[in-house]
Amino acid sequence: MTTVTQRRKHDETKASSKPRGPCPSLVDPANFLVATRDTGYGTTAFAIAELIDNSLQAGATEVQVEVAASRDDEFPMEITVLDNGSGMEPDTLSAALTFGGSTRFGDRASLGRYGMGLPNGALSRARRVEIYSWTGPTVWKGRLDVDEVARTRNGMLPPISELTDRTFLPTTSSGTVVRLSRCDRVEYKRVSTVVRHLSEELGRIYRYFIATGVNLVVNGSSVTPLDPLMLDSEGRLAGARQFGDTLVYSVDTPAGSGEIKVRFSELPIERWHTLTSSEKRQLGITSSPSVSVLRAAREIDRGWFFMGAKRRENYDDWWRCEVCFEPVLDELFGLTHAKQSIAPTQDLLDLLAPDLEPIGRALNNRVRRRFELLKVSAPLGNAERRAARAEVALPPLPRNPEAPPPELEQALAPMEATRSIDCPYQLVVSDLPTTAAFETVVRRGRLVVALNSRHPLYRDLYGPLATSETESDKDVATRVALTVLAAARAEWLDPRKAGRAARRRFRQAWSDVMASFFNAPA
């Protein structure tokens, strides 16, 4: 039996479910497009990268970016991205222009995931985007125009149509062209400036793709991969060394299991410290982010991450860190759909910072120490030049000397070619892994001698003299360096390996006795 109260509630429920006029749209099309233009891509390169991501996911091996002046005085620039990927049929092309309309929505296997990149990236810089795509002889065309939507208030895309006027003729069997016109949000006014910044940023963002064969072209010139760790021997700036082993973290998340790989590099201070401040900035040595973060081998952010309580200092310009992760770990890194920044979760910070912060502090200390050692290099250079003037009167050095032990080779490697390559001698100071007062090696006809900064010969004799404010003390430091250089050269004059080995044993014994004498109570 139904009570009055129950009947009243039933009537209220029925009344509340009745529509009270036409159902509103989920979004206002014109307002949505205006709002989404403010997604916040930091640079034009990151916006264009969204289009390049689509090209690479379509299997493109060549992607051409063209920046050109337009005939429109109000919008004087156009940007076009062309690829030789698999191309799109009308349904796929329509989905590509739709926010969230990706055929790969939720896919964590590659670069894209949400289907927001193409319309978001394009409209963040331009008021109109056109797409031409083909999988055979037929070229399909679609468009999305902010002003057109604002004028018509139509929430539907214009229909995909077949290109019949042949204003565009494809040169590949399949591919896609994305054309951005009425560009009103490009941060630079000159085409040449946009091209320069695009080439540099895209070379860094896609460095691994370029290195593995993708030909990325900006205004007719192939982009050079730019390795911020400066480990790439063929890069624009190379010479750094990896510090330690690559760290690998296996992480389980609700979305699946993935890996994080972290590696560090040390820049060659001895080789580059004499560059001017302007040169260092231009080459990206100073005033550059220390940590590069990559998702699926594509850079998405740079900054100061995972270093715990350590604050960034000027010495941190001289080392780099690279953190690579798999897309399955997106939530852990707090990835945004714009793929240009991270917001690490506390779980991720708790995982990485305990390891990375001590490494960052150790590298900072190493840089500080190496700069301190460079301060005492003036008398060494004087000794090199004086010894070089006497070289013609001395027997030649061996042509094919034996290789030094690996640990010594590693210690001397960053010191090589820090001064004139024409000088037959090189004197350096290094934290050597031995107890000898100095170590020596012949490399490419040059005698390299390293004073051991841990030994009393450097600590108590040469170092104080070299850092003295008086010229007489610095002159004595030069003579100490010449004395060490003479002993090292004499050691290499014996053509017999057994003879050189005996001299090395004598040098070690002499070093040990000297350390005992210097360390004895006064």
Side-chain angles (χ1 to χ4, degrees):
M1 183 174 182
T2 304
T3 66
V4 174
T5 302
Q6 289 173 326
R7 188 161 53 249
R8 185 182 298 118
K9 288 183 177 179
H10 176 70
D11 293 341
E12 290 173 353
T13 301
K14 288 179 63 178
S16 65
S17 64
K18 291 180 181 179
R20 301 186 180 186
C23 295
S25 173
L26 183 60
V27 296
D28 179 285
N31 291 346
F32 174 77
L33 288 187
V34 171
T36 198
R37 298 194 74 205
D38 294 329
T39 292
Y41 289 96
T43 65
T44 295
F46 269 115
I48 297 302
E50 294 279 23
L51 314 183
I52 297 174
D53 285 352
N54 288 346
S55 298
L56 296 176
Q57 284 199 268
T61 57
E62 181 165 320
V63 183
Q64 299 181 28
V65 181
E66 290 289 335
V67 184
S70 73
R71 298 179 180 179
D72 190 328
D73 292 337
E74 186 178 1
F75 307 108
M77 193 177 298
E78 293 184 354
I79 302 176
T80 303
V81 178
L82 180 150
D83 69 54
N84 65 347
S86 58
M88 293 179 282
E89 294 293 340
D91 289 348
T92 309
L93 197 161
S94 179
L97 283 168
T98 304
F99 289 88
S102 172
T103 58
R104 297 184 287 265
F105 187 86
D107 179 21
R108 294 175 185 259
S110 188
L111 297 172
R113 179 178 166 192
Y114 293 110
M116 301 285 285
L118 191 151
N120 251 353
L123 296 185
S124 75
R125 289 303 185 267
R127 304 188 70 84
R128 179 183 174 93
V129 54
E130 298 172 353
I131 301 182
Y132 304 85
S133 197
W134 62 99
T135 59
T138 301
V139 178
W140 301 101
K141 177 182 178 181
R143 72 180 186 276
L144 181 57
D145 190 307
V146 173
D147 299 313
E148 182 180 353
V149 173
R151 185 176 62 254
T152 63
R153 313 299 295 187
N154 185 3
M156 302 295 292
L157 278 173
I160 305 301
S161 60
E162 181 181 347
L163 185 66
T164 57
D165 58 10
R166 314 311 291 170
T167 55
F168 170 75
L169 296 175
T171 58
T172 56
S173 59
S174 62
T176 298
V177 173
V178 181
R179 177 173 173 260
L180 310 186
S181 58
R182 299 210 299 275
C183 295
D184 61 343
R185 293 192 173 186
V186 177
E187 61 266 37
Y188 304 105
K189 302 303 181 184
R190 292 178 178 271
V191 168
S192 59
T193 306
V194 175
V195 168
R196 185 175 72 253
H197 283 272
L198 277 177
S199 298
E200 180 171 333
E201 290 188 62
L202 295 179
R204 189 189 67 248
I205 293 170
Y206 293 104
R207 57 188 182 265
Y208 284 108
F209 291 89
I210 299 171
T212 54
V214 172
N215 186 22
L216 181 55
V217 178
V218 176
N219 278 35
S221 298
S222 293
V223 174
T224 302
L226 180 59
D227 175 19
L229 272 68
M230 303 181 188
L231 292 169
D232 182 3
S233 60
E234 298 181 0
R236 185 187 70 177
L237 193 62
R241 293 186 306 153
Q242 182 163 330
F243 178 76
D245 297 327
T246 299
L247 305 177
V248 181
Y249 300 83
S250 297
V251 185
D252 295 326
T253 72
S257 300
E259 281 190 347
I260 303 170
K261 294 182 179 181
V262 183
R263 60 177 182 158
F264 290 83
S265 68
E266 291 181 287
L267 275 55
I269 296 170
E270 293 78 12
R271 191 180 306 174
W272 295 345
H273 79 284
T274 56
L275 297 173
T276 66
S277 297
S278 176
E279 289 172 330
K280 291 173 187 175
R281 284 194 302 271
Q282 290 176 0
L283 293 171
I285 297 171
T286 58
S287 302
S288 291
S290 297
V291 183
S292 172
V293 182
L294 295 92
R295 173 188 184 267
R298 188 262 219 201
E299 185 178 85
I300 59 171
D301 206 353
R302 298 192 301 159
W304 185 253
F305 303 109
F306 314 118
M307 294 299 152
K310 184 190 178 327
R311 294 184 178 182
R312 196 178 190 282
E313 305 173 64
N314 289 338
Y315 288 120
D316 297 316
D317 281 336
W318 292 91
W319 59 267
R320 298 288 188 272
C321 175
E322 183 180 79
V323 179
C324 305
F325 71 95
E326 297 179 305
V328 73
L329 304 178
D330 281 351
E331 285 78 8
L332 203 60
F333 280 81
L335 185 74
T336 67
H337 66 79
K339 291 180 293 186
Q340 63 166 347
S341 63
I342 62 170
T345 63
Q346 190 60 48
D347 287 342
L348 181 61
L349 297 176
D350 291 343
L351 174 67
L352 297 183
D355 292 336
L356 272 55
E357 179 184 351
I359 296 175
R361 292 187 183 279
L363 283 164
N364 181 287
N365 289 334
R366 285 169 64 90
V367 171
R368 188 188 304 271
R369 176 62 174 157
R370 287 162 69 184
F371 270 107
E372 290 174 353
L373 295 179
L374 284 170
K375 292 179 181 178
V376 300
S377 62
L380 299 181
N382 293 335
E384 291 170 0
R385 289 186 290 273
R386 290 182 64 174
R389 289 193 287 270
E391 178 67 14
V392 293
L394 299 174
L397 291 166
R399 291 182 176 272
N400 298 302
E402 66 269 22
E407 65 275 9
L408 183 58
E409 178 76 25
Q410 185 177 9
L412 294 178
M415 309 298 173
E416 186 177 10
T418 58
R419 287 189 283 276
S420 171
I421 59 175
D422 296 327
C423 184
Y425 302 109
Q426 183 178 14
L427 279 158
V428 297
V429 178
S430 181
D431 295 327
L432 296 177
T434 70
T435 59
F438 64 91
E439 295 286 357
T440 178
V441 61
V442 174
R443 184 186 282 112
R444 300 184 182 93
R446 168 189 278 190
L447 179 63
V448 181
V449 180
L451 290 172
N452 193 345
S453 64
R454 306 174 191 275
H455 193 277
L457 175 65
Y458 170 82
R459 185 189 67 213
D460 300 334
L461 181 58
Y462 175 83
L465 290 168
T467 56
S468 171
E469 297 297 325
T470 65
E471 290 301 319
S472 59
D473 284 348
K474 292 179 181 179
D475 183 62
V476 175
T478 298
R479 296 175 185 278
V480 171
L482 285 168
T483 302
V484 172
L485 187 56
R489 199 188 193 291
E491 188 174 301
W492 282 98
L493 288 180
D494 194 330
R496 300 170 302 160
K497 289 186 178 180
R500 288 200 293 271
R503 284 185 171 85
R504 283 197 297 271
R505 289 193 297 271
F506 173 81
R507 167 163 45 91
Q508 182 64 60
W510 172 76
S511 299
D512 293 342
V513 172
M514 184 189 302
S516 297
F517 285 174
F518 274 58
N519 292 329

